[in-house]
Amino acid sequence: MIALTATEVAEATGGALEGIAPHAVIAGAVVTDSRDVEPGGLFVALGGEHVDGHDYAARAVGAGAAAVLCARPLVDDAGAPLPCVVVPDVEVALGELARAVLARLRLAALEPGGSGLRVVGVTGSVGKTTTKDLLAQLCGAAGPTVAPVRSFNNEIGLPLTVLRADEQTRFLVLEMGASGPGHLEYLTRIAPPDVAVVLVVGQAHLGGFGGGVDAVARAKSEIVQGLLPDGVAVLNADDQRVLAMSALAPGDVVTFGAARGAGVRAVDVTLDRAGRGSFTLVVGEGTADERRAPVALRLVGEHHVHNALAAAAAALAVGLTLDDVAAGLSAADALSPHRMHVVDRADGVTVVDDSYNANPDSMRAALKALAVLAGRDRRSVAVLGEMLELGADAREAHDAIGRLVVRLNIDLTVVVGDGARAIRDGANHEGSWGDEVVLVDDVATAEAFLADELRAGDVVLVKSSYGSGLWQLGDALTATTDGAAS
């Protein structure tokens, strides 16, 4: 975090100082885990269902934290007061601190020699993290860039990301997630974007929205309404619900997609034997200013072409050149764990670990990528767990995935857990027979089954929502090898 006095932190958060001098300087990292404390930083004592950060405040101060953001005055083991900024609500205060710091950075960025800071927000039912990772790599090649680690996209992760920025930061790339109405409104109050990217309106987290996909669309549109007055909306031309958000944009609109007329478009899309997409990136197709550049992605799965287009459109909107964008996309890697992470094991098995999250849209995309990667000469194995937070549509959604497995001719499907049982049922109803689909009780049983079943040449996809725990199987399958990641 930029250097602030204790008084300035208190003013930003509506807090009161306890056990700390008003002019004490807080200038290190802002963290919620006492193990991550850096000297001079701020420890945020969040409450939780199982762990209360207040119980670790003394440890954090002992490790060098200059202050604790907390809900009550605290003392150490000897009864001495800890340096605290006491606030009514720690989570809200964290957001307010991030909002105040970003406002300062924006003012500093306008001064002579300032960084020219641009804030980009990315949302959508699927593809947020990959698009964020691509955009971070594009922007990182052009100037100092801050982006979330992993999938820090909620009311805690986003402020923590904002607070990593400083006066040299040129690009602040933020992933903005929503599992209900009002979530993006809250996040954009903390960090109003200069550029807002909306990827897809899909069936993720339907249980939290109410009102089906149209309710999801209304919630996702909050990022467009949260733009700065001269902000740019980057919208998916292939999704009519997203495209309709152009009416809410306060400033310019840039579209991307496969549809003719999209401002940023991919043409001549091909996939290589490893399932990696190549295409020609076209900007302003059919106009006097039309420009083209070749792109060859290193990411596996045709759906990443769409993510790359979104990242390209956002990068162009913040001032990168077409040639730099095309070259950057061609050099970009998958950064976040359990996101279409491909490992070629020493025993000849290829593992595609996409177990961080799942909804019907991303599940379909991953299964199609598996079919392409396996082709006709390798056995395709899908290990599928439950897709969470789908509400009343859950059974139907899982059933549809089972039917798709059959249509894609996946050779072996291992369904893990009772919550995913409808995948097995859907496959059976679609015409699966024999041992093509197997239902197992849990991750441990799946791991034991695969240990006996897998053979050289197999391509294995591991896919489920994170809360289903299948990421543990992804770790196990990729850790049993000295093979190379791709």
Side-chain angles (χ1 to χ4, degrees):
M1 183 176 70
I2 61 173
L4 298 175
T5 65
T7 295
E8 289 172 325
V9 173
E11 290 174 347
T13 59
L17 301 182
E18 297 282 349
I20 186 172
H23 297 294
V25 175
I26 304 168
V30 179
V31 300
T32 60
D33 189 325
S34 61
R35 294 168 295 186
D36 297 331
V37 165
E38 297 178 6
L42 179 67
F43 175 66
V44 180
L46 290 169
E49 184 177 349
H50 302 293
V51 177
D52 188 343
H54 293 79
D55 296 337
Y56 296 87
R59 180 186 301 178
V61 172
V68 179
L69 188 66
C70 50
R72 60 181 183 272
L74 299 170
V75 296
D76 62 19
D77 293 339
L82 293 176
C84 295
V85 180
V86 181
V87 295
D89 186 308
V90 177
E91 183 180 299
V92 171
L94 175 63
E96 287 301 299
L97 179 60
R99 187 177 65 83
V101 166
L102 180 56
R104 285 191 177 211
L105 291 177
R106 278 189 152 133
L107 288 175
L110 297 176
E111 296 176 356
S115 68
L117 174 66
R118 303 296 299 278
V119 178
V120 184
V122 180
T123 197
S125 298
V126 62
K128 293 187 297 295
T129 300
T130 298
T131 301
K132 172 266 297 182
D133 286 345
L134 289 172
L135 185 55
Q137 291 174 83
L138 294 176
C139 292
T145 298
V146 171
V149 295
R150 298 187 297 279
S151 187
F152 273 27
N153 63 19
N154 61 11
E155 63 278 2
I156 297 170
L158 181 135
L160 290 175
T161 303
V162 171
L163 290 168
R164 288 170 43 217
D166 60 24
E167 293 87 351
Q168 283 70 52
T169 302
R170 182 176 173 190
F171 302 107
L172 177 57
V173 179
L174 299 172
E175 182 178 338
M176 295 185 171
S179 54
H183 291 184
L184 292 179
E185 181 183 0
Y186 176 75
L187 296 180
T188 57
R189 283 203 304 269
I190 295 172
D194 295 283
V195 176
V197 182
V198 186
L199 299 169
V200 176
V201 171
Q203 294 176 285
H205 307 296
L206 276 180
F209 289 96
V213 178
D214 288 336
V216 177
R218 288 192 293 273
K220 297 299 184 185
S221 72
E222 292 168 9
I223 193 174
V224 177
Q225 297 173 78
L227 276 162
L228 291 177
D230 59 348
V232 178
V234 175
L235 304 177
N236 178 7
D238 299 331
D239 186 323
Q240 291 304 306
R241 289 184 176 88
V242 175
L243 193 58
M245 297 176 194
S246 60
L248 303 174
D252 291 340
V253 174
V254 175
T255 59
F256 66 91
R260 289 191 177 276
V264 179
R265 189 166 179 248
V267 300
D268 303 326
V269 178
T270 61
L271 294 180
D272 67 12
R273 186 64 182 81
R276 297 170 297 203
S278 294
F279 59 93
T280 300
L281 180 60
V282 185
V283 178
E285 185 177 26
T287 71
D289 296 325
E290 178 179 310
R291 293 167 291 154
R292 294 176 173 242
V295 174
L297 296 177
R298 300 173 66 174
L299 307 183
V300 175
E302 186 175 8
H303 57 292
H304 286 313
V305 172
H306 201 266
N307 297 331
L309 286 178
L316 292 167
V318 296
L320 275 66
T321 68
L322 178 63
D323 288 344
D324 286 344
V325 167
L329 289 175
S330 298
D333 292 310
L335 300 182
S336 298
H338 305 293
R339 304 275 189 172
M340 291 301 287
H341 177 52
V342 181
V343 173
D344 294 316
R345 301 194 335 183
D347 62 359
V349 173
T350 296
V351 179
V352 183
D353 179 8
D354 197 34
S355 57
Y356 187 86
N357 211 345
N359 58 56
D361 297 317
S362 67
M363 188 74 86
R364 285 191 289 268
L367 286 167
K368 291 175 183 177
L370 169 64
V372 170
L373 192 56
R376 297 184 178 182
D377 56 340
R378 304 182 70 182
R379 186 172 68 149
S380 54
V381 180
V383 186
L384 308 178
E386 185 177 1
M387 300 178 289
L388 299 173
E389 300 182 51
L390 295 181
D393 296 325
R395 178 169 179 79
E396 181 181 354
H398 286 85
D399 182 281
I401 294 302
R403 294 175 186 273
L404 179 63
V405 163
V406 176
R407 293 169 193 159
L408 291 173
N409 293 316
I410 302 303
D411 296 304
L412 172 63
T413 300
V414 181
V415 180
V416 184
D418 191 64
R421 178 184 294 271
I423 296 176
R424 192 274 308 270
D425 297 342
N428 288 342
H429 293 152
E430 189 67 21
S432 175
W433 58 278
D435 296 326
E436 293 173 347
V437 180
V438 177
L439 176 66
V440 299
D441 291 336
D442 51 35
V443 171
T445 307
E447 184 177 356
F449 174 82
L450 292 170
D452 292 334
E453 178 67 26
L454 295 181
R455 56 180 184 260
D458 287 351
V459 183
V460 185
L461 168 70
V462 184
K463 180 74 173 171
S464 76
S465 291
Y466 191 84
S468 300
L470 217 57
W471 59 269
Q472 299 170 73
L473 179 60
D475 283 345
L477 291 176
T478 56
T480 57
T481 176
D482 293 325
S486 59

